[in-house]
Amino acid sequence: MNSTAPKRPSRLRRTAALRQLTADTVLPPAGNMVWPVFLVDGSSRREPIVSMPGQARLGIDELCRDVEPLLSQGVRSLLLFGVPNARLKDEIGSAAAARDSLVCKAVRALRDRFPGLAIFTDVCLCAYTSHGHCGALEPDGAVDNDRTLPLLADIAVAHADSGADGVAPSAMMDGQVSAIRAALDGHGLSNTVIMSYSTKFASAFYGPFRDAASSAPAHGDRSSHQASPSALRQAIRESTLDAEEGADILMVKPALLYLDVIARLREQVELPLAAYNVSGEYSMIHAMAERGWGDLDRMAAESLLAIRRAGADIVISYWANRYAAIAKEGETV
Ligand code: PBG
C-alpha cells in the first residue's frame, strides 16, 4: 500500500446507499422507546403543556386514546407521572401511595385495554408533597433519606399491585432500590421490574417538566441528593450501587448532556441501560425549530442517534409520540 496516497475517508459517504451500508449506529428501534406521560384527573381532559410543545396533561380516557397511534408506530412502553390536584398534597405525599391514585387507575385501565404494553410508573414524592421535595423533611428542611424509604416502597407496591410491569424510583434516596425490592418481594410482587433512575443529576434541564407536573421545590433545590454534574466518578458509583441493590435496569438522566456517563456505564455494566432525554433537552429543540433555527425532526433524530451511539439500550423520550416522523428523517442523517 502506498502510504503517501492521500486518505479519502469521504469515499464511504459519497452516496446515501454507501452511508447506510457503512453505518454502525441507527436510531433506537421503536421497541426501545418509552413515552413519558402526565396524568390528570377527570374525563376528556387534554391540557397542552406550554413548556413542552407536542405534549399534554391527559385524563385517563385521553391517554388510552393516544396509546393507539403510539402502538401503530411500534412504540409500546409508557412511563406514567401523576399530576395530582393541589388539595391532595401534604407534608409526606401520602396521596402517592393510595390504591385509587390516578397512576394506579391508569395502570389498571391500560392493562385491561392494551395487554401488549409495557407500563412503568415514576416513583417519587415531589408531585405529591406540599413543599415539592422528593421525600419527607427533617425539622431543618433537609430531606430525610431514611424516613422516605418506606414511603417510596409503599408507592411502588401500590403501582405494582395495580399491574405495572415496572416501577421507576426517581427520588435519588440512598438505599431506595433495596427498600423497594424488599417490599415488592414481601408482597408477592417479585416479577415487578425496577428501572432505577440510578444516576440522576441535579440538572437545570428539568424546568419544563416541573412546570408540567407542578413539582418544583418551594424552597431550596435537589443538589443534596441528586448527582453532581461535576463529579463523574460519583455518578458512575450511584449506578453501580443500584445494580448491587438489585435494580433490573439502570438509567442516566439527563441524556444528551451526559453521553460520557452513558458510554462509561455501557462498558462497565451488563444490565440494560436507559437514558432519559429530559424535558429541557426536548423543549430547547422545539424552541429552535419555532424560531426557524433548525428542522425539528432532523434535530430530534440526531439527538436520538447520539443517545444510541453512546450506548443506551432504552430511550425514554417525549419524541416517542412522533417517532414515525423522526425515524423518516433518521434514515437520511
Ligand atoms: C421526579 C422527576 C423529575 C423528572 C422525572 N422525574 C423532576 C425532578 O427531579 O425535579 C424530570 C423529567 C424531565 O425533565 O423530563 N423526581
Side-chain angles (χ1 to χ4, degrees), residues 55-282:
Q55 306 299 317
R57 284 180 286 259
L58 301 169
I60 293 172
D61 53 346
E62 291 292 316
L63 171 60
C64 288
R65 197 177 305 225
D66 280 13
V67 167
E68 309 265 5
L70 198 71
L71 288 171
S72 65
Q73 297 175 75
V75 178
R76 54 192 312 193
S77 300
L78 293 178
L79 175 58
L80 306 182
F81 292 91
V83 186
N85 287 328
R87 62 179 165 73
L88 288 177
K89 302 191 185 199
D90 65 18
E91 279 289 302
I92 57 164
S94 334
R99 298 299 166 128
D100 63 349
S101 73
L102 268 174
V103 172
C104 290
K105 282 195 279 196
V107 169
R108 290 192 288 267
L110 291 164
R111 189 79 299 157
D112 263 13
R113 284 196 42 191
F114 305 102
L117 272 185
I119 307 170
F120 289 87
T121 60
D122 186 79
V123 172
C124 194
L125 289 167
C126 58
Y128 299 85
T129 49
S130 40
H131 41 74
H133 280 286
C134 302
L137 298 185
E138 290 176 10
D140 68 358
V143 177
D144 187 338
N145 189 96
D146 295 2
R147 199 154 65 90
T148 301
L149 297 179
L151 303 175
L152 295 173
D154 284 349
I155 305 172
V157 168
H159 292 175
D161 230 2
S162 304
D165 295 279
V167 291
S170 66
M172 282 298 282
M173 295 297 120
D174 294 337
Q176 64 182 14
V177 172
S178 21
I180 289 171
R181 185 74 272 160
L184 290 172
D185 292 350
H187 285 80
L189 296 162
S190 53
N191 283 333
T192 306
V193 169
I194 300 182
M195 175 164 72
S196 172
Y197 287 70
S198 50
T199 299
K200 176 177 174 182
F201 288 92
S203 172
F205 283 75
Y206 304 148
F209 172 99
R210 290 181 188 171
D211 181 38
S214 310
S215 64
H219 59 86
D221 58 27
R222 310 207 203 288
S223 21
S224 59
H225 46 289
Q226 296 183 342
S228 163
S230 44
L232 174 63
R233 289 185 298 272
Q234 286 178 45
I236 300 296
R237 183 156 182 264
E238 285 289 349
S239 274
T240 53
L241 283 174
D242 278 19
E244 285 166 24
E245 286 184 34
D248 300 289
I249 300 173
L250 300 177
M251 191 201 300
V252 174
K253 175 186 171 190
L256 293 174
L257 292 155
Y258 298 96
L259 297 173
D260 56 331
V261 180
I262 296 172
R264 286 275 287 263
L265 279 173
R266 178 67 299 156
E267 295 202 338
Q268 242 172 279
V269 299
E270 282 83 38
L271 290 176
L273 183 58
Y276 197 140
N277 182 205
V278 302
S279 57
E281 296 174 325
Y282 170 82

Side-chain angles (χ1 to χ4, degrees), residues 1-8 11:
M1 204 182 97
N2 181 356
S3 59
T4 60
K7 301 288 182 291
R8 292 238 177 254
R11 207 176 275 141

